[in-house]
């Protein structure tokens, strides 16, 4: 008859021991350090700020460092030395590389263009960044740009896949994300000037980029954007990160983008496997 009482006393003592034991420190939340290198396709509507806002809405901290200039090329960003110096000083988890659109972005799809200096310099820039990022176990995402028609898009897709193979980077199918948005919402003008994304287009890119960086699908929640949504002709200098430039870093004002605007974009995000398959078909 005394055994149950003894057992109860033992269990009570154990519970006290567990409750009084010091709690183990929880692992700190993951912080993603992301470098973006590009031109107006990256800074229009401030894609880096939108990416940070998407991360914050999901409880994920994303720090960005953006090197960009109007009409700039990746080779120019490497030649000025800032990207290389920054990567040497502080590793990044992800580097997002966005090349100048048009012929240069599609140059690897042409044997003739491959032999020209601009194409070789572009590939070298991709390879240099990918190699530097790989040293710290990070990854490089190659921003796949969009073209005016199916034929040109096929060349762009084929070129970026070849660059990924040569450099060891992975393709961020930005063109596919915008195409999925256009298909899901035909009434939206995704490229108002036929080149640069609308705010909905840039939001779609931010959501897709968040998914490719974290491996997690975003949920539609209000976004609080703390930096200005930049126009195409913004005065962006290549001499310092966008995040440190007066007028680009923000002045404390917050732009709230409601979850109701994000919900249809999240629903339109394409399946990565199907997206890669479609890109492969276009690039044949």
């Amino acid at each position: 008859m005394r055994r149950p009482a003894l057992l109860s006393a033992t269990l009570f003592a154990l519970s006290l021991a567990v409750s009084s034991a010091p709690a183990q420190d929880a692992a700190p939340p993951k912080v993603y350090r992301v470098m973006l290198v590009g031109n107006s396709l990256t800074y229009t509507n401030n894609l880096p700020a939108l990416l940070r806002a998407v991360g914050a809405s999901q409880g994920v901290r994303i720090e960005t460092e953006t090197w960009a200039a109007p009409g700039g090329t990746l080779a120019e960003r490497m030649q000025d030395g800032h990207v290389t110096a920054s990567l040497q000083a502080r590793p990044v988890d992800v580097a997002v590389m966005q090349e100048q659109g048009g012929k240069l972005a599609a140059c690897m799809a042409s044997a003739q263009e491959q032999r020209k200096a601009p194409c070789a310099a572009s590939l070298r820039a991709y390879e240099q960044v990918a190699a530097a990022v790989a040293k710290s176990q990070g990854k490089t995402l190659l921003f796949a740009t969009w073209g005016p028609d199916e034929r040109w898009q096929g060349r762009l897709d084929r070129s970026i896949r070849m660059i990924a193979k040569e450099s060891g980077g992975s393709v961020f199918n930005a063109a596919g994300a915008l195409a999925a948005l256009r298909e899901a919402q035909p009434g939206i003008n995704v490229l108002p000037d036929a080149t640069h994304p609308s705010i909905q287009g840039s939001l779609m890119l931010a959501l897709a980029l968040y998914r490719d960086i974290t491996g997690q699908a975003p949920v539609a929640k209000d976004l609080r954007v703390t930096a200005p949504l930049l126009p195409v002709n913004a005065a962006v200098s290549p001499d310092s990160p966008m995040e440190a430039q007066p007028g680009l870093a923000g002045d404390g004002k917050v732009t709230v983008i409601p979850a109701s605007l994000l919900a249809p974009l999240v629903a339109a995000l394409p399946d990565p496997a199907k997206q890669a398959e479609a890109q492969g078909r276009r690039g044949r």
Side-chain angles (χ1 to χ4, degrees), residues 97 120-133 163 166-168:
M97 306 289 286
S122 177
L123 178 59
R124 188 159 54 248
Y126 280 113
E127 291 175 334
Q128 289 171 342
V129 170
V133 173
I163 292 168
E166 292 290 331
S167 67

Side-chain angles (χ1 to χ4, degrees), residues 131-153:
V133 173
K135 288 181 179 179
S136 58
Q137 307 301 309
K139 64 179 179 180
T140 301
L141 294 178
L142 315 182
F143 190 112
T145 55
W146 42 87
D149 53 46
E150 192 75 12
R151 180 174 176 273
W152 190 255
Q153 190 63 55

Side-chain angles (χ1 to χ4, degrees), residues 149-237:
D149 53 46
E150 192 75 12
R151 180 174 176 273
W152 190 255
Q153 190 63 55
R155 293 185 63 185
L156 290 168
D157 292 345
R158 187 161 64 253
S159 181
I160 202 70
R161 289 204 316 276
M162 293 175 70
I163 292 168
K165 183 177 180 179
E166 292 290 331
S167 67
S170 301
V171 175
F172 166 56
N173 197 346
L178 294 188
L181 175 58
R182 189 180 291 111
E183 181 178 352
Q185 299 190 45
I188 290 182
N189 189 357
V190 177
L191 303 173
D193 65 357
T195 300
H196 299 89
S198 63
I199 181 60
Q200 292 98 328
S202 293
L203 284 167
M204 187 69 168
L205 294 177
L207 292 166
L209 193 52
Y210 170 84
R211 185 183 63 183
D212 281 18
I213 289 171
T214 66
Q216 301 294 323
V219 176
K221 296 183 179 180
D222 289 354
L223 300 188
R224 296 176 60 82
V225 186
T226 57
L229 304 179
L230 302 173
V232 174
N233 60 351
V236 178
S237 168

Side-chain angles (χ1 to χ4, degrees), residues 69-140:
T73 68
L74 293 179
E76 290 170 345
R77 299 289 68 78
M78 297 304 293
Q79 287 165 5
D80 63 30
H82 300 308
V83 170
T84 300
S86 181
L87 289 173
Q88 290 175 344
R90 188 181 177 193
V92 299
D93 297 296
V94 181
V96 182
M97 306 289 286
Q98 179 255 306
E99 184 57 279
Q100 186 184 78
K103 183 181 289 188
L104 186 56
C107 70
M108 288 294 290
S110 165
Q112 182 179 2
E113 292 296 323
Q114 285 181 30
R115 293 191 289 269
K116 295 182 179 180
C119 191
S122 177
L123 178 59
R124 188 159 54 248
Y126 280 113
E127 291 175 334
Q128 289 171 342
V129 170
V133 173
K135 288 181 179 179
S136 58
Q137 307 301 309
K139 64 179 179 180
T140 301

Side-chain angles (χ1 to χ4, degrees), residues 171 173 208 211-212 269-279:
V171 175
N173 197 346
R211 185 183 63 183
D212 281 18
L269 279 172
D271 177 83
K274 293 181 180 178
Q275 194 179 39
E277 182 182 349
Q279 189 181 42

